[in-house]
Amino acid sequence: MPKAAVLDPQGNAVRDAMRHLGMPEVRSVRIGKYMEIDVDGQDGDLEARLRGLCRDLLSNPVIEDYELQRSSASAKATARQREISKEK
């Protein structure tokens, strides 16, 4: 997402359009990019390496913030993998 201090002309255009189309309550809109990354493994440093890639490759840290989220589907798959490993 663009940092709060960075102007977001695309977000402002969407906000204005929403207001024009009957949503005067909309105070602001920020437009960002969304990436879904599926990874294998549970390395101890996996999250740290992903954060590094977000910072160095996938975002522009001067004007953007990023956030990693583990999806519930991913968490369920991880839990299921653990169960299978215990069964073996």
Side-chain angles (χ1 to χ4, degrees):
M1 294 295 297
K3 290 185 175 188
V6 174
L7 294 177
D8 184 0
Q10 186 179 14
N12 289 342
V14 170
R15 178 203 61 209
D16 293 346
M18 292 176 77
R19 288 177 177 172
H20 180 73
L21 294 171
M23 292 287 302
E25 304 87 357
V26 176
R27 293 182 54 203
S28 68
V29 175
R30 303 292 283 174
I31 304 289
K33 56 187 170 185
Y34 169 83
M35 294 178 211
E36 190 170 299
I37 303 170
D38 185 16
V39 296
D40 286 329
Q42 298 177 16
D43 232 339
D45 68 338
L46 181 63
E47 186 173 335
R49 291 185 295 134
L50 281 171
R51 286 190 186 283
L53 286 174
C54 286
R55 181 192 64 239
D56 299 338
L57 175 68
L58 303 175
S59 73
N60 178 345
V62 174
I63 62 169
E64 295 174 320
D65 287 324
Y66 62 88
E67 172 182 339
L68 290 179
Q69 291 182 347
R70 182 174 294 198
S71 73
S72 60
S74 173
K76 288 178 186 174
T78 301
R80 181 63 185 139
Q81 285 176 333
R82 286 188 196 131
E83 289 176 19
I84 290 171
S85 295
K86 289 178 184 177
E87 292 172 1
K88 289 182 180 179

